[in-house]
Each structure stands twice: as structure tokens, then as C-alpha cells.
Amino acid sequence: MLKAFQGFQPKQSFYIILLGLLSWLPVFLFPHHFVSPVSIYPSPAFPFLHPLTQLPGFSAALLSFLFWFLTGYLLVFMNIRHMFLKTRTLLPLFFILTLSTPLLGFFEINNLTLTFPFLLAALYLIFKTYRNNKVDFTFFSAGLWLGIASLICLKISVSLLVVWIAMVTIRPFYFREWFASLIGFLTPWFFIYSIHFLLYDEFSTLNSHIVQNFLVTFHPNLPGTLQWAFLAYLGLLLLFSLSYLFFSLPGLKIKSRKFYGVLFWNIVAVVALGIFFPTMWFSFLSPALLFLVLIFSFYFQSDKKSLVRRILFDLYVAGLLYIIADQIIKQIA
């Protein structure tokens, strides 16, 4: 089965989209039972995001599916441009679509997850500067994307540190680039404070929203027994994927090694958030999986024949299909 999902041909697109839609089928058929959670908390961007919480069941499910489809496509697009997975592949889209189904309960639409496209855009711009030894103000744009994301969820501001770490690892030191990234990050905040002052002539309301957004605790629904078993299997899959990546690093191009280094620091940032906010550690599973799907894709995209790799992939698909069938049968019964 693994061979049918490897590659970048129309048939792989068909298989991946088909299985992705199948993963969401119970959600589309029974939207009032398998709710696609949309939780928006106070933030400077709250007035623009609040209408999302008013969507009915099917519309919320469709919105969630399209959002995760876009996120998966951005991961595919990043790889097409930077080729850190060695070759073109649609596997990141496959893992995002299947893991984001509300049947598993690992993902939800909230302030934190809505920042993912902005974060991926910033990472894309960062690696676009690789081997350009001249002063490059692309980092202003990267900081700007993160600044916009921070208006949605202030916790994502920790990614600015990842940007600076990336600048250390892939670039010569140029003070103007570091300054440009900081100015880019602060630009959305300058505009939001200016607009708020012109409209209300005070900052207290905006400041209270900022504090609430930083301290707010997300409470996604904890998964059941089947989902916990699937999550345990993902841990096993991560062990194999990380081992393969570790032994493959010496043979990768320098650019790819640097990319996985930045990927590592992104995961460290997610773990740090989980430690700082211990009551909402499960909410940080989705940003961790956002980057882990790239490690899974690297493992399964390998052209080397491996019985273990095929078995692990078949078990992943089989477990997913079992959960889908189980949920549909329960609703029909």
C-alpha cells in the first residue's frame, strides 16, 4: 500500500485526497455528533475571528477540512521549493488530512492552530535566503507574518526566537537583518494600537485582550480509548522515523540538514510552551504534529525497500480505517 502513496503523480493525489475525505466522512455525515470544534478566545484579532464560532455543524466541518487541506498543501509547497524530503511528495498533505479529522480529536480550530499558515509562510521565507550572503530584508516579511500570527495567538511569538536561531545557523550575522525581523514583527502591533487609539482613545481594553490571550487555556476534548491507542502508535512511528532521520543526516545536503535543525527548534519551542502551560499540554499536540508529519513523510518517502516501513504504514492506514468504520457503525446502529 505504501508504494501507492509515494511519488507526486495524479494517482497519488487521488489516493491521498480520497483517504483524506474518507477520514472526514463521518464528520460530514453526522456533523452534530462529530463536531468540528472552533474555539476562538479574546485577542486583538477577535472581532475578525468571532464569526467563525457562529458557523453551523456542516459549515464548520467544511471550514476545518479546507483549513487543514491548505496547511497540508503549504507543507507540500515548501518541500517543492526547498526539497528537504529529497523528492516531491504529497505525504505531508496525507498525514495532515488524516490526523486532523475530529474522529481522532488531536486538532481543533482555535487561536493557536489558525497561526499555522503564517508560521509556515515565515519558515518558507527564511529558507529562501539560504546561500544569499548579501544583506536580505526578507526577514522583515518573515517577522511580519509572525507579527500577524501573534495578533491571533500571542503564544506563537516564541517562534520569533526560532527565526533568530535560524538566522544564526543559515546566515552570516547582519545586524540590519535582525533589526528588520524585529521591526517586521512589531509592525502589526503598531497598526493595531494606532487603530484602537483612533477609534476608542484608550488602550486598556486592548491590553486586557492581550493578557487574556496569553493566559487563556485551551481545553480540547480528550480522545477516547481508540484514539489514545492511535496516539501511542504515533509515538512508535515517531521513534522509527527519528531513528531513520538521525542515521540519514550525514548523507543529506547541507541545506536539508539546516532545515531539520530549525524543525528541531520549532519542536523545542512547542515543548517549552507545554512546560510553561502544563494544564493545556494536549493543546500543543497539534503544533507538534504539524512538524512531525514532515519527519513521518521523510521516513515513508524513502525509496529503499523496507518490510518494516511498509508494515508501519499499513498499520497506520488500517487503524485509521478501523476508527472510521467503528464510528460510522455506532451512528447507524
Side-chain angles (χ1 to χ4, degrees):
M1 185 180 294
L2 175 59
K3 192 172 180 61
F5 288 84
Q6 291 176 323
F8 198 73
Q9 301 299 323
K11 63 178 182 180
Q12 279 84 33
S13 303
F14 174 77
Y15 294 145
I16 286 172
I17 293 176
L18 177 63
L19 193 55
L21 287 172
L22 187 61
S23 302
W24 283 74
L25 182 61
V27 184
F28 293 135
L29 293 177
F30 312 103
H32 297 294
H33 183 80
F34 301 108
V35 180
S36 298
V38 180
S39 304
I40 305 300
Y41 302 92
S43 70
F46 182 78
F48 304 100
L49 302 177
H50 180 65
L52 298 179
T53 62
Q54 310 300 317
L55 294 174
F58 181 81
S59 298
L62 182 60
L63 171 71
S64 298
F65 177 81
L66 293 177
F67 175 80
W68 294 117
F69 187 93
L70 171 64
T71 304
Y73 176 77
L74 288 176
L75 290 174
V76 172
F77 179 77
M78 286 177 62
N79 179 59
I80 292 174
R81 294 292 177 152
H82 301 305
M83 296 301 289
F84 44 82
L85 296 176
K86 292 185 177 181
T87 183
R88 295 180 178 182
T89 177
L90 292 166
L91 283 176
L93 177 60
F94 165 74
F95 283 113
I96 284 292
L97 287 182
T98 52
L99 289 174
S100 61
T101 172
L103 299 183
L104 297 178
F106 300 153
F107 289 75
E108 72 170 9
I109 301 296
N110 57 36
N111 296 61
L112 183 61
T113 55
L114 285 174
T115 64
F116 290 173
F118 302 101
L119 176 58
L120 294 178
L123 291 178
Y124 169 77
L125 292 173
I126 289 169
F127 278 91
K128 190 178 177 181
T129 66
Y130 180 70
R131 285 195 172 178
N132 177 16
N133 292 328
K134 298 179 180 179
V135 176
D136 194 329
F137 289 103
T138 300
F139 288 99
F140 174 85
S141 300
L144 181 66
W145 284 116
L146 289 179
I148 295 174
S150 67
L151 295 179
I152 302 173
C153 181
L154 190 59
K155 295 179 180 68
I156 203 67
S157 301
V158 70
S159 296
L160 185 62
L161 298 177
V162 179
V163 170
W164 290 338
I165 292 173
M167 293 172 69
V168 171
T169 57
I170 71 174
R171 302 278 299 161
F173 177 78
Y174 296 116
F175 174 76
R176 284 174 289 179
E177 291 182 347
W178 288 62
F179 184 72
S181 67
L182 181 60
I183 293 300
F185 179 82
L186 294 177
T187 297
W189 287 96
F190 171 79
F191 279 103
I192 200 71
Y193 267 99
S194 300
I195 294 172
H196 193 86
F197 180 76
L198 292 174
L199 291 177
Y200 306 108
D201 193 24
E202 55 89 19
F203 294 136
S204 58
T205 303
L206 180 59
N207 290 335
S208 65
H209 282 170
I210 293 172
V211 173
Q212 291 178 45
N213 183 255
F214 183 72
L215 298 178
V216 69
T217 300
F218 307 129
H219 292 291
N221 295 324
L222 292 178
T225 304
L226 282 176
Q227 290 85 349
W228 276 117
F230 196 83
L231 185 60
Y233 176 74
L234 289 181
L236 177 65
L237 183 59
L238 177 62
L239 179 63
F240 279 90
S241 301
L242 284 177
S243 300
Y244 179 75
L245 176 62
F246 178 78
F247 288 108
S248 300
L249 282 177
L252 296 179
K253 295 180 180 179
I254 295 177
K255 182 179 181 180
S256 296
R257 294 203 298 267
K258 291 183 180 295
F259 175 87
Y260 286 109
V262 175
L263 201 64
F264 166 78
W265 286 111
N266 273 287
I267 296 174
V268 168
V270 173
V271 173
L273 286 174
I275 295 173
F276 193 81
F277 298 94
T279 59
M280 56 178 295
W281 68 268
F282 189 77
S283 298
F284 295 117
L285 181 62
S286 54
L289 287 174
L290 177 68
F291 300 113
L292 293 182
V293 296
L294 294 177
I295 299 176
F296 295 159
S297 301
F298 180 83
Y299 178 64
F300 286 116
Q301 183 57 26
S302 174
D303 293 329
K304 295 181 180 179
K305 293 183 179 180
S306 171
L307 179 62
V308 174
R309 189 179 291 113
R310 294 200 302 269
I311 292 175
L312 287 173
F313 189 83
D314 289 347
L315 287 174
Y316 178 90
V317 176
L320 185 67
L321 292 176
Y322 178 81
I323 292 175
I324 295 170
D326 177 73
Q327 297 296 340
I328 292 179
I329 291 172
K330 284 181 178 179
Q331 291 308 304
I332 295 177

